Amino acid sequence: MANYENLVNDFMADIIAKNPGEVEFHQAVLEVAETLIPYIEENPQYKEAKILERIAEPERVILFRIPWVDDKGEVQINKGYRIEMNSAIGPYKGGLRFHPTVNLGILKFLAFEQVLKNSLTTLPMGGGKGGSNFDPKGKTDNEVMRFCQSFMTELFRHIGPNTDIPAGDIGVGGREIGFLFGQYKRLKNEFTGVLTGKGREWGGSRIRPEATGYGATYFAEEMLKTRGDSLKGKVVTISGSGNVAQFATQKVTDLGGKVVTLSDSSGYIYDPDGIDAEKLAFAMHLKNVKRGRISEYAEKYGCEYHDGQRPWGVKCDVAMPCATQNEINVDEAKMLIDNGCFVVSEGANMPSTADAIVAYIDAKILYGPGKAANAGGVAVSGLEMSQNSLRLSWTREEVDARLLQIMKDIHEICVKFGTDGDFINYVQGANIGGFVKVADAMLAQGIV
Ligand code: GLU
């Protein structure tokens, strides 16, 4: 083991030297390197071809200026990015994030995760990610439209339905995808599946809005099955209140679980009676249409609201972090475990810190890392691409059935590569399972 530790340290020293200051990127690469380096030592063909070193370097990074004019007539300038990380098994695929915290290191961590995640979906998609430090909060629809049009005026020359297919992420939902698609179509004079997450009437797939939340819930159910258990009757804490949290709440409730928390960047609500369909409809209107704060839910239903806090101190059986990266630290992870939580299924990307993950593994709980548990979103994006190519649109039932099967397949891959005695290490399973397909494709394609 000590031997591997030295190899990991040497590898990481090189990554840190080449990518200074990109702490989230270092964190994501380290988590993968720790499980992959022992595997690569046993499979020297990957070592000789330096596959790990190559997948940690983006194939291409595009940085650009986004000038736009706000409603007051003032000129605004934001930064735009697209990381084209890996195209060994398909065109670059991954979302766009619009959030003031966006920087190169955050997008590189997300693009790196996306490569392995997309490989796990079993669909032919490479990995990419992009976005801007633009903050949609408090902006009018017209401002968001002008920003999206300016963003696409540069991005359009780098993407295409066979090259790079962006989608949504934090701050980019149906409204933004619509504005981006409209501008792409105008510039290229082409109606193609260049973006996913489109509206149903103009090339979008059924179940795409639901897919990440549903998928993370299906993954939790699959993990529970390995212990002869299910979500029925379980108390579930969920963070976030965006698209992923909303549809995770819906699916957990459908499967007989009780969701007791939701949150936003201001605080969390605790509803011990459970967030049923009617209350969820209120929360969805609040967040998607009114674009208000989750505290209004507590006012409406007379339940607790905890300002400035995260929901991980609430007693639960299952936790589903569906907000953002590093939203569960080691103290919160231990609090969850001490309170009896034995399943963590990640709807967000890298929501648990490195120490939190160690705590889950030490406690041998069922821990589904984001790159496996939240892959349902991009999987249905892949199905949207297939429907666009076929110029067909599948029914809700058909897409949902395919999503469920894909989540079962991802779980199976994790079991295959992650089983260690009577424990399934899903981190190891997802990292190795995602890596092998990409690595073999890279070997076959030579040093490119
Ligand atoms: N942003 C989502 C993710 O993290 C979806 C990406 C996509 O649909 O391309 O996987």
Side-chain angles (χ1 to χ4, degrees), residues 82 92-97 110 113-114 117-118 125 128-129 165-170 172 196-197 208 212 244 347-349 370 374-382 385:
R82 186 73 183 164
Y92 309 107
K93 179 84 197 87
L96 298 171
R97 177 176 290 193
L110 289 163
E113 290 278 295
Q114 199 82 44
K117 183 197 309 195
N118 292 3
M125 298 183 287
K129 203 88 189 188
I165 306 92
D169 196 80
I170 294 172
V172 178
T196 59
R208 178 62 190 88
T212 313
V244 182
N349 289 311
N374 76 33
V378 73
V380 174
S381 277
M385 289 163 65

PDB file of all heavy atoms in Angstrom, residues 82 92-97 110 113-114 117-118 125 128-129 165-170 172 196-197 208 212 244 347-349 370 374-382 385, ligand 1:
ATOM      1  N   ARG A  82     -15.171  26.744 -22.279  1.00  0.00           N
ATOM      2  CA  ARG A  82     -15.586  25.385 -22.641  1.00  0.00           C
ATOM      3  C   ARG A  82     -14.351  24.500 -22.540  1.00  0.00           C
ATOM      4  O   ARG A  82     -13.325  24.783 -23.171  1.00  0.00           O
ATOM      5  CB  ARG A  82     -16.177  25.345 -24.059  1.00  0.00           C
ATOM      6  CG  ARG A  82     -16.752  23.975 -24.437  1.00  0.00           C
ATOM      7  CD  ARG A  82     -18.062  23.661 -23.728  1.00  0.00           C
ATOM      8  NE  ARG A  82     -18.550  22.319 -24.046  1.00  0.00           N
ATOM      9  CZ  ARG A  82     -19.483  21.678 -23.334  1.00  0.00           C
ATOM     10  NH1 ARG A  82     -20.043  22.246 -22.280  1.00  0.00           N
ATOM     11  NH2 ARG A  82     -19.877  20.471 -23.676  1.00  0.00           N
ATOM     12  N   TYR A  92     -17.555  15.414 -27.366  1.00  0.00           N
ATOM     13  CA  TYR A  92     -17.569  16.032 -26.028  1.00  0.00           C
ATOM     14  C   TYR A  92     -19.017  16.251 -25.613  1.00  0.00           C
ATOM     15  O   TYR A  92     -19.830  16.719 -26.401  1.00  0.00           O
ATOM     16  CB  TYR A  92     -16.850  17.385 -26.040  1.00  0.00           C
ATOM     17  CG  TYR A  92     -15.470  17.325 -26.649  1.00  0.00           C
ATOM     18  CD1 TYR A  92     -15.232  17.874 -27.913  1.00  0.00           C
ATOM     19  CD2 TYR A  92     -14.417  16.707 -25.978  1.00  0.00           C
ATOM     20  CE1 TYR A  92     -13.967  17.829 -28.481  1.00  0.00           C
ATOM     21  CE2 TYR A  92     -13.152  16.654 -26.545  1.00  0.00           C
ATOM     22  CZ  TYR A  92     -12.935  17.211 -27.807  1.00  0.00           C
ATOM     23  OH  TYR A  92     -11.676  17.150 -28.372  1.00  0.00           O
ATOM     24  N   LYS A  93     -19.317  15.928 -24.353  1.00  0.00           N
ATOM     25  CA  LYS A  93     -20.696  16.075 -23.860  1.00  0.00           C
ATOM     26  C   LYS A  93     -20.636  16.494 -22.404  1.00  0.00           C
ATOM     27  O   LYS A  93     -19.920  15.894 -21.600  1.00  0.00           O
ATOM     28  CB  LYS A  93     -21.429  14.721 -23.993  1.00  0.00           C
ATOM     29  CG  LYS A  93     -22.851  14.763 -23.489  1.00  0.00           C
ATOM     30  CD  LYS A  93     -23.793  15.295 -24.549  1.00  0.00           C
ATOM     31  CE  LYS A  93     -25.134  15.739 -23.999  1.00  0.00           C
ATOM     32  NZ  LYS A  93     -25.146  17.156 -23.530  1.00  0.00           N
ATOM     33  N   GLY A  94     -21.399  17.493 -22.066  1.00  0.00           N
ATOM     34  CA  GLY A  94     -21.469  17.925 -20.670  1.00  0.00           C
ATOM     35  C   GLY A  94     -22.103  19.299 -20.594  1.00  0.00           C
ATOM     36  O   GLY A  94     -22.245  19.994 -21.606  1.00  0.00           O
ATOM     37  N   GLY A  95     -22.485  19.674 -19.388  1.00  0.00           N
ATOM     38  CA  GLY A  95     -23.306  20.863 -19.198  1.00  0.00           C
ATOM     39  C   GLY A  95     -22.549  22.171 -19.202  1.00  0.00           C
ATOM     40  O   GLY A  95     -21.311  22.229 -19.277  1.00  0.00           O
ATOM     41  N   LEU A  96     -23.337  23.246 -19.110  1.00  0.00           N
ATOM     42  CA  LEU A  96     -22.831  24.604 -18.922  1.00  0.00           C
ATOM     43  C   LEU A  96     -23.302  25.071 -17.561  1.00  0.00           C
ATOM     44  O   LEU A  96     -24.479  24.889 -17.214  1.00  0.00           O
ATOM     45  CB  LEU A  96     -23.409  25.542 -19.995  1.00  0.00           C
ATOM     46  CG  LEU A  96     -23.058  25.228 -21.455  1.00  0.00           C
ATOM     47  CD1 LEU A  96     -23.888  26.117 -22.391  1.00  0.00           C
ATOM     48  CD2 LEU A  96     -21.565  25.419 -21.706  1.00  0.00           C
ATOM     49  N   ARG A  97     -22.405  25.673 -16.798  1.00  0.00           N
ATOM     50  CA  ARG A  97     -22.776  26.204 -15.474  1.00  0.00           C
ATOM     51  C   ARG A  97     -22.646  27.717 -15.481  1.00  0.00           C
ATOM     52  O   ARG A  97     -21.590  28.234 -15.854  1.00  0.00           O
ATOM     53  CB  ARG A  97     -21.869  25.593 -14.395  1.00  0.00           C
ATOM     54  CG  ARG A  97     -22.144  26.157 -13.007  1.00  0.00           C
ATOM     55  CD  ARG A  97     -21.291  25.472 -11.948  1.00  0.00           C
ATOM     56  NE  ARG A  97     -21.691  24.093 -11.721  1.00  0.00           N
ATOM     57  CZ  ARG A  97     -21.277  23.351 -10.686  1.00  0.00           C
ATOM     58  NH1 ARG A  97     -20.460  23.878  -9.777  1.00  0.00           N
ATOM     59  NH2 ARG A  97     -21.668  22.110 -10.548  1.00  0.00           N
ATOM     60  N   LEU A 110     -15.194  19.431 -13.104  1.00  0.00           N
ATOM     61  CA  LEU A 110     -16.473  18.923 -13.617  1.00  0.00           C
ATOM     62  C   LEU A 110     -16.275  18.170 -14.933  1.00  0.00           C
ATOM     63  O   LEU A 110     -16.880  17.109 -15.152  1.00  0.00           O
ATOM     64  CB  LEU A 110     -17.459  20.083 -13.806  1.00  0.00           C
ATOM     65  CG  LEU A 110     -17.992  20.687 -12.502  1.00  0.00           C
ATOM     66  CD1 LEU A 110     -18.616  22.065 -12.738  1.00  0.00           C
ATOM     67  CD2 LEU A 110     -19.019  19.759 -11.841  1.00  0.00           C
ATOM     68  N   GLU A 113     -14.686  14.705 -14.169  1.00  0.00           N
ATOM     69  CA  GLU A 113     -15.711  13.787 -13.661  1.00  0.00           C
ATOM     70  C   GLU A 113     -16.622  13.315 -14.800  1.00  0.00           C
ATOM     71  O   GLU A 113     -17.043  12.162 -14.849  1.00  0.00           O
ATOM     72  CB  GLU A 113     -16.587  14.502 -12.619  1.00  0.00           C
ATOM     73  CG  GLU A 113     -15.908  14.817 -11.312  1.00  0.00           C
ATOM     74  CD  GLU A 113     -15.889  13.620 -10.383  1.00  0.00           C
ATOM     75  OE1 GLU A 113     -16.966  13.175  -9.949  1.00  0.00           O
ATOM     76  OE2 GLU A 113     -14.781  13.123 -10.105  1.00  0.00           O
ATOM     77  N   GLN A 114     -16.923  14.260 -15.692  1.00  0.00           N
ATOM     78  CA  GLN A 114     -17.876  13.975 -16.780  1.00  0.00           C
ATOM     79  C   GLN A 114     -17.361  12.869 -17.708  1.00  0.00           C
ATOM     80  O   GLN A 114     -18.147  12.059 -18.197  1.00  0.00           O
ATOM     81  CB  GLN A 114     -18.111  15.261 -17.576  1.00  0.00           C
ATOM     82  CG  GLN A 114     -19.378  15.247 -18.417  1.00  0.00           C
ATOM     83  CD  GLN A 114     -20.620  15.585 -17.617  1.00  0.00           C
ATOM     84  OE1 GLN A 114     -20.614  16.505 -16.829  1.00  0.00           O
ATOM     85  NE2 GLN A 114     -21.684  14.832 -17.815  1.00  0.00           N
ATOM     86  N   LYS A 117     -18.048   9.634 -15.909  1.00  0.00           N
ATOM     87  CA  LYS A 117     -19.504   9.503 -15.765  1.00  0.00           C
ATOM     88  C   LYS A 117     -20.147   9.104 -17.096  1.00  0.00           C
ATOM     89  O   LYS A 117     -20.949   8.172 -17.158  1.00  0.00           O
ATOM     90  CB  LYS A 117     -20.073  10.849 -15.308  1.00  0.00           C
ATOM     91  CG  LYS A 117     -21.569  10.850 -15.056  1.00  0.00           C
ATOM     92  CD  LYS A 117     -22.190  12.242 -14.998  1.00  0.00           C
ATOM     93  CE  LYS A 117     -21.491  13.188 -14.056  1.00  0.00           C
ATOM     94  NZ  LYS A 117     -22.328  14.388 -13.763  1.00  0.00           N
ATOM     95  N   ASN A 118     -19.764   9.799 -18.155  1.00  0.00           N
ATOM     96  CA  ASN A 118     -20.372   9.527 -19.454  1.00  0.00           C
ATOM     97  C   ASN A 118     -20.025   8.119 -19.929  1.00  0.00           C
ATOM     98  O   ASN A 118     -20.856   7.437 -20.546  1.00  0.00           O
ATOM     99  CB  ASN A 118     -19.936  10.580 -20.474  1.00  0.00           C
ATOM    100  CG  ASN A 118     -20.513  11.954 -20.166  1.00  0.00           C
ATOM    101  OD1 ASN A 118     -21.195  12.138 -19.150  1.00  0.00           O
ATOM    102  ND2 ASN A 118     -20.248  12.927 -21.008  1.00  0.00           N
ATOM    103  N   MET A 125     -20.422   8.759 -25.433  1.00  0.00           N
ATOM    104  CA  MET A 125     -20.245  10.199 -25.212  1.00  0.00           C
ATOM    105  C   MET A 125     -18.889  10.471 -24.570  1.00  0.00           C
ATOM    106  O   MET A 125     -18.551   9.866 -23.547  1.00  0.00           O
ATOM    107  CB  MET A 125     -21.323  10.737 -24.258  1.00  0.00           C
ATOM    108  CG  MET A 125     -22.751  10.594 -24.783  1.00  0.00           C
ATOM    109  SD  MET A 125     -23.960  11.324 -23.643  1.00  0.00           S
ATOM    110  CE  MET A 125     -23.959  10.113 -22.306  1.00  0.00           C
ATOM    111  N   GLY A 128     -17.027  16.849 -21.507  1.00  0.00           N
ATOM    112  CA  GLY A 128     -16.699  18.275 -21.557  1.00  0.00           C
ATOM    113  C   GLY A 128     -17.507  19.032 -20.525  1.00  0.00           C
ATOM    114  O   GLY A 128     -18.376  18.456 -19.860  1.00  0.00           O
ATOM    115  N   LYS A 129     -17.202  20.279 -20.363  1.00  0.00           N
ATOM    116  CA  LYS A 129     -17.976  21.130 -19.441  1.00  0.00           C
ATOM    117  C   LYS A 129     -17.676  22.572 -19.797  1.00  0.00           C
ATOM    118  O   LYS A 129     -16.616  22.878 -20.328  1.00  0.00           O
ATOM    119  CB  LYS A 129     -17.549  20.879 -17.992  1.00  0.00           C
ATOM    120  CG  LYS A 129     -18.594  21.250 -16.979  1.00  0.00           C
ATOM    121  CD  LYS A 129     -19.527  20.089 -16.712  1.00  0.00           C
ATOM    122  CE  LYS A 129     -20.715  20.461 -15.882  1.00  0.00           C
ATOM    123  NZ  LYS A 129     -21.480  19.267 -15.498  1.00  0.00           N
ATOM    124  N   ILE A 165     -21.544  18.784 -27.546  1.00  0.00           N
ATOM    125  CA  ILE A 165     -22.978  19.014 -27.318  1.00  0.00           C
ATOM    126  C   ILE A 165     -23.191  19.467 -25.876  1.00  0.00           C
ATOM    127  O   ILE A 165     -23.329  18.645 -24.964  1.00  0.00           O
ATOM    128  CB  ILE A 165     -23.818  17.724 -27.605  1.00  0.00           C
ATOM    129  CG1 ILE A 165     -23.524  17.198 -29.009  1.00  0.00           C
ATOM    130  CG2 ILE A 165     -25.325  18.002 -27.435  1.00  0.00           C
ATOM    131  CD1 ILE A 165     -22.424  16.165 -29.075  1.00  0.00           C
ATOM    132  N   PRO A 166     -23.239  20.767 -25.620  1.00  0.00           N
ATOM    133  CA  PRO A 166     -23.480  21.250 -24.254  1.00  0.00           C
ATOM    134  C   PRO A 166     -24.917  21.004 -23.799  1.00  0.00           C
ATOM    135  O   PRO A 166     -25.797  20.650 -24.595  1.00  0.00           O
ATOM    136  CB  PRO A 166     -23.191  22.754 -24.337  1.00  0.00           C
ATOM    137  CG  PRO A 166     -22.479  22.971 -25.638  1.00  0.00           C
ATOM    138  CD  PRO A 166     -22.963  21.880 -26.547  1.00  0.00           C
ATOM    139  N   ALA A 167     -25.141  21.195 -22.501  1.00  0.00           N
ATOM    140  CA  ALA A 167     -26.474  21.036 -21.901  1.00  0.00           C
ATOM    141  C   ALA A 167     -26.534  21.966 -20.687  1.00  0.00           C
ATOM    142  O   ALA A 167     -25.748  22.909 -20.588  1.00  0.00           O
ATOM    143  CB  ALA A 167     -26.679  19.584 -21.492  1.00  0.00           C
ATOM    144  N   GLY A 168     -27.447  21.689 -19.767  1.00  0.00           N
ATOM    145  CA  GLY A 168     -27.568  22.520 -18.577  1.00  0.00           C
ATOM    146  C   GLY A 168     -26.733  22.018 -17.412  1.00  0.00           C
ATOM    147  O   GLY A 168     -26.185  20.922 -17.436  1.00  0.00           O
ATOM    148  N   ASP A 169     -26.602  22.847 -16.408  1.00  0.00           N
ATOM    149  CA  ASP A 169     -26.012  22.511 -15.111  1.00  0.00           C
ATOM    150  C   ASP A 169     -26.545  23.606 -14.182  1.00  0.00           C
ATOM    151  O   ASP A 169     -27.561  24.249 -14.503  1.00  0.00           O
ATOM    152  CB  ASP A 169     -24.467  22.496 -15.195  1.00  0.00           C
ATOM    153  CG  ASP A 169     -23.812  21.789 -14.002  1.00  0.00           C
ATOM    154  OD1 ASP A 169     -23.761  20.560 -13.985  1.00  0.00           O
ATOM    155  OD2 ASP A 169     -23.367  22.477 -13.057  1.00  0.00           O
ATOM    156  N   ILE A 170     -25.876  23.892 -13.084  1.00  0.00           N
ATOM    157  CA  ILE A 170     -26.352  24.931 -12.168  1.00  0.00           C
ATOM    158  C   ILE A 170     -26.521  26.256 -12.940  1.00  0.00           C
ATOM    159  O   ILE A 170     -25.613  26.672 -13.658  1.00  0.00           O
ATOM    160  CB  ILE A 170     -25.365  25.102 -10.992  1.00  0.00           C
ATOM    161  CG1 ILE A 170     -25.360  23.828 -10.127  1.00  0.00           C
ATOM    162  CG2 ILE A 170     -25.714  26.335 -10.154  1.00  0.00           C
ATOM    163  CD1 ILE A 170     -24.275  23.814  -9.055  1.00  0.00           C
ATOM    164  N   VAL A 172     -28.315  26.915 -15.463  1.00  0.00           N
ATOM    165  CA  VAL A 172     -28.704  26.754 -16.870  1.00  0.00           C
ATOM    166  C   VAL A 172     -29.799  25.701 -16.952  1.00  0.00           C
ATOM    167  O   VAL A 172     -29.555  24.505 -16.780  1.00  0.00           O
ATOM    168  CB  VAL A 172     -27.495  26.356 -17.759  1.00  0.00           C
ATOM    169  CG1 VAL A 172     -27.932  26.154 -19.205  1.00  0.00           C
ATOM    170  CG2 VAL A 172     -26.407  27.422 -17.684  1.00  0.00           C
ATOM    171  N   THR A 196     -28.582  19.659 -25.529  1.00  0.00           N
ATOM    172  CA  THR A 196     -29.642  18.814 -24.967  1.00  0.00           C
ATOM    173  C   THR A 196     -30.289  19.548 -23.797  1.00  0.00           C
ATOM    174  O   THR A 196     -29.747  20.526 -23.291  1.00  0.00           O
ATOM    175  CB  THR A 196     -29.127  17.429 -24.530  1.00  0.00           C
ATOM    176  OG1 THR A 196     -28.098  17.615 -23.559  1.00  0.00           O
ATOM    177  CG2 THR A 196     -28.600  16.627 -25.705  1.00  0.00           C
ATOM    178  N   GLY A 197     -31.487  19.030 -23.432  1.00  0.00           N
ATOM    179  CA  GLY A 197     -32.290  19.747 -22.442  1.00  0.00           C
ATOM    180  C   GLY A 197     -33.209  20.735 -23.151  1.00  0.00           C
ATOM    181  O   GLY A 197     -33.680  21.704 -22.548  1.00  0.00           O
ATOM    182  N   ARG A 208     -36.089  14.344 -19.649  1.00  0.00           N
ATOM    183  CA  ARG A 208     -34.776  14.968 -19.429  1.00  0.00           C
ATOM    184  C   ARG A 208     -34.776  15.847 -18.169  1.00  0.00           C
ATOM    185  O   ARG A 208     -33.844  15.754 -17.357  1.00  0.00           O
ATOM    186  CB  ARG A 208     -34.297  15.763 -20.661  1.00  0.00           C
ATOM    187  CG  ARG A 208     -32.938  16.477 -20.438  1.00  0.00           C
ATOM    188  CD  ARG A 208     -31.833  15.476 -20.158  1.00  0.00           C
ATOM    189  NE  ARG A 208     -30.568  16.062 -19.707  1.00  0.00           N
ATOM    190  CZ  ARG A 208     -30.261  16.328 -18.441  1.00  0.00           C
ATOM    191  NH1 ARG A 208     -31.137  16.113 -17.468  1.00  0.00           N
ATOM    192  NH2 ARG A 208     -29.080  16.792 -18.128  1.00  0.00           N
ATOM    193  N   THR A 212     -31.915  13.489 -13.780  1.00  0.00           N
ATOM    194  CA  THR A 212     -30.842  13.404 -12.785  1.00  0.00           C
ATOM    195  C   THR A 212     -31.408  12.989 -11.424  1.00  0.00           C
ATOM    196  O   THR A 212     -30.875  12.097 -10.754  1.00  0.00           O
ATOM    197  CB  THR A 212     -30.079  14.741 -12.681  1.00  0.00           C
ATOM    198  OG1 THR A 212     -29.774  15.189 -13.990  1.00  0.00           O
ATOM    199  CG2 THR A 212     -28.804  14.595 -11.881  1.00  0.00           C
ATOM    200  N   VAL A 244     -32.565  18.985  -9.826  1.00  0.00           N
ATOM    201  CA  VAL A 244     -32.179  17.646  -9.339  1.00  0.00           C
ATOM    202  C   VAL A 244     -32.924  17.324  -8.038  1.00  0.00           C
ATOM    203  O   VAL A 244     -33.524  16.251  -7.892  1.00  0.00           O
ATOM    204  CB  VAL A 244     -30.651  17.546  -9.124  1.00  0.00           C
ATOM    205  CG1 VAL A 244     -30.264  16.144  -8.680  1.00  0.00           C
ATOM    206  CG2 VAL A 244     -29.896  17.944 -10.382  1.00  0.00           C
ATOM    207  N   GLY A 347     -26.689  13.423  -5.934  1.00  0.00           N
ATOM    208  CA  GLY A 347     -27.304  14.037  -7.118  1.00  0.00           C
ATOM    209  C   GLY A 347     -26.448  15.160  -7.673  1.00  0.00           C
ATOM    210  O   GLY A 347     -26.533  15.502  -8.846  1.00  0.00           O
ATOM    211  N   ALA A 348     -25.610  15.766  -6.819  1.00  0.00           N
ATOM    212  CA  ALA A 348     -24.717  16.846  -7.254  1.00  0.00           C
ATOM    213  C   ALA A 348     -23.368  16.256  -7.666  1.00  0.00           C
ATOM    214  O   ALA A 348     -23.110  15.059  -7.455  1.00  0.00           O
ATOM    215  CB  ALA A 348     -24.520  17.851  -6.129  1.00  0.00           C
ATOM    216  N   ASN A 349     -22.495  17.084  -8.239  1.00  0.00           N
ATOM    217  CA  ASN A 349     -21.148  16.652  -8.593  1.00  0.00           C
ATOM    218  C   ASN A 349     -20.187  16.949  -7.448  1.00  0.00           C
ATOM    219  O   ASN A 349     -20.089  18.099  -7.011  1.00  0.00           O
ATOM    220  CB  ASN A 349     -20.698  17.373  -9.865  1.00  0.00           C
ATOM    221  CG  ASN A 349     -21.442  16.861 -11.094  1.00  0.00           C
ATOM    222  OD1 ASN A 349     -21.532  15.649 -11.312  1.00  0.00           O
ATOM    223  ND2 ASN A 349     -22.011  17.761 -11.874  1.00  0.00           N
ATOM    224  N   GLY A 370     -21.173  10.807  -7.046  1.00  0.00           N
ATOM    225  CA  GLY A 370     -21.894  11.519  -8.113  1.00  0.00           C
ATOM    226  C   GLY A 370     -21.685  10.965  -9.501  1.00  0.00           C
ATOM    227  O   GLY A 370     -22.643  10.852 -10.270  1.00  0.00           O
ATOM    228  N   ASN A 374     -25.395  10.296 -10.224  1.00  0.00           N
ATOM    229  CA  ASN A 374     -26.113  11.363 -10.934  1.00  0.00           C
ATOM    230  C   ASN A 374     -25.967  11.278 -12.449  1.00  0.00           C
ATOM    231  O   ASN A 374     -26.318  12.219 -13.168  1.00  0.00           O
ATOM    232  CB  ASN A 374     -25.733  12.750 -10.389  1.00  0.00           C
ATOM    233  CG  ASN A 374     -24.366  13.243 -10.848  1.00  0.00           C
ATOM    234  OD1 ASN A 374     -23.914  12.964 -11.950  1.00  0.00           O
ATOM    235  ND2 ASN A 374     -23.714  14.014  -9.999  1.00  0.00           N
ATOM    236  N   ALA A 375     -25.508  10.136 -12.943  1.00  0.00           N
ATOM    237  CA  ALA A 375     -25.285   9.986 -14.385  1.00  0.00           C
ATOM    238  C   ALA A 375     -26.575   9.893 -15.196  1.00  0.00           C
ATOM    239  O   ALA A 375     -26.547   9.931 -16.435  1.00  0.00           O
ATOM    240  CB  ALA A 375     -24.421   8.753 -14.653  1.00  0.00           C
ATOM    241  N   GLY A 376     -27.707   9.784 -14.519  1.00  0.00           N
ATOM    242  CA  GLY A 376     -28.988   9.682 -15.239  1.00  0.00           C
ATOM    243  C   GLY A 376     -29.278  10.908 -16.085  1.00  0.00           C
ATOM    244  O   GLY A 376     -29.908  10.806 -17.148  1.00  0.00           O
ATOM    245  N   GLY A 377     -28.827  12.075 -15.634  1.00  0.00           N
ATOM    246  CA  GLY A 377     -29.079  13.314 -16.382  1.00  0.00           C
ATOM    247  C   GLY A 377     -28.417  13.273 -17.743  1.00  0.00           C
ATOM    248  O   GLY A 377     -29.070  13.421 -18.783  1.00  0.00           O
ATOM    249  N   VAL A 378     -27.128  13.022 -17.738  1.00  0.00           N
ATOM    250  CA  VAL A 378     -26.418  13.001 -19.012  1.00  0.00           C
ATOM    251  C   VAL A 378     -26.820  11.767 -19.837  1.00  0.00           C
ATOM    252  O   VAL A 378     -26.800  11.807 -21.071  1.00  0.00           O
ATOM    253  CB  VAL A 378     -24.889  13.111 -18.803  1.00  0.00           C
ATOM    254  CG1 VAL A 378     -24.291  11.839 -18.248  1.00  0.00           C
ATOM    255  CG2 VAL A 378     -24.203  13.534 -20.092  1.00  0.00           C
ATOM    256  N   ALA A 379     -27.236  10.703 -19.160  1.00  0.00           N
ATOM    257  CA  ALA A 379     -27.690   9.520 -19.903  1.00  0.00           C
ATOM    258  C   ALA A 379     -28.920   9.866 -20.746  1.00  0.00           C
ATOM    259  O   ALA A 379     -28.989   9.514 -21.935  1.00  0.00           O
ATOM    260  CB  ALA A 379     -28.008   8.374 -18.943  1.00  0.00           C
ATOM    261  N   VAL A 380     -29.869  10.593 -20.148  1.00  0.00           N
ATOM    262  CA  VAL A 380     -31.052  10.964 -20.947  1.00  0.00           C
ATOM    263  C   VAL A 380     -30.688  12.031 -21.985  1.00  0.00           C
ATOM    264  O   VAL A 380     -31.282  12.087 -23.057  1.00  0.00           O
ATOM    265  CB  VAL A 380     -32.252  11.345 -20.054  1.00  0.00           C
ATOM    266  CG1 VAL A 380     -33.413  11.858 -20.892  1.00  0.00           C
ATOM    267  CG2 VAL A 380     -32.705  10.126 -19.252  1.00  0.00           C
ATOM    268  N   SER A 381     -29.655  12.829 -21.714  1.00  0.00           N
ATOM    269  CA  SER A 381     -29.134  13.710 -22.773  1.00  0.00           C
ATOM    270  C   SER A 381     -28.651  12.865 -23.950  1.00  0.00           C
ATOM    271  O   SER A 381     -28.880  13.216 -25.112  1.00  0.00           O
ATOM    272  CB  SER A 381     -27.968  14.547 -22.252  1.00  0.00           C
ATOM    273  OG  SER A 381     -28.415  15.688 -21.572  1.00  0.00           O
ATOM    274  N   GLY A 382     -27.986  11.758 -23.646  1.00  0.00           N
ATOM    275  CA  GLY A 382     -27.544  10.842 -24.700  1.00  0.00           C
ATOM    276  C   GLY A 382     -28.741  10.280 -25.470  1.00  0.00           C
ATOM    277  O   GLY A 382     -28.704  10.153 -26.699  1.00  0.00           O
ATOM    278  N   MET A 385     -29.964  12.868 -27.824  1.00  0.00           N
ATOM    279  CA  MET A 385     -29.141  12.893 -29.045  1.00  0.00           C
ATOM    280  C   MET A 385     -29.569  11.782 -30.003  1.00  0.00           C
ATOM    281  O   MET A 385     -29.660  12.000 -31.215  1.00  0.00           O
ATOM    282  CB  MET A 385     -27.657  12.730 -28.683  1.00  0.00           C
ATOM    283  CG  MET A 385     -27.071  13.956 -27.995  1.00  0.00           C
ATOM    284  SD  MET A 385     -25.512  13.605 -27.139  1.00  0.00           S
ATOM    285  CE  MET A 385     -24.425  13.181 -28.485  1.00  0.00           C
TER     286      MET A 385
HETATM  287  N1  GLU B   1     -24.722  18.860 -16.057  1.00  0.00           N
HETATM  288  C1  GLU B   1     -25.186  17.510 -16.016  1.00  0.00           C
HETATM  289  C2  GLU B   1     -24.097  16.639 -15.427  1.00  0.00           C
HETATM  290  O1  GLU B   1     -23.394  17.061 -14.533  1.00  0.00           O
HETATM  291  C3  GLU B   1     -25.747  17.036 -17.347  1.00  0.00           C
HETATM  292  C4  GLU B   1     -24.833  17.153 -18.523  1.00  0.00           C
HETATM  293  C5  GLU B   1     -25.493  16.819 -19.866  1.00  0.00           C
HETATM  294  O2  GLU B   1     -26.676  16.491 -19.885  1.00  0.00           O
HETATM  295  O3  GLU B   1     -24.792  16.908 -20.871  1.00  0.00           O
HETATM  296  O4  GLU B   1     -23.923  15.498 -15.771  1.00  0.00           O
END
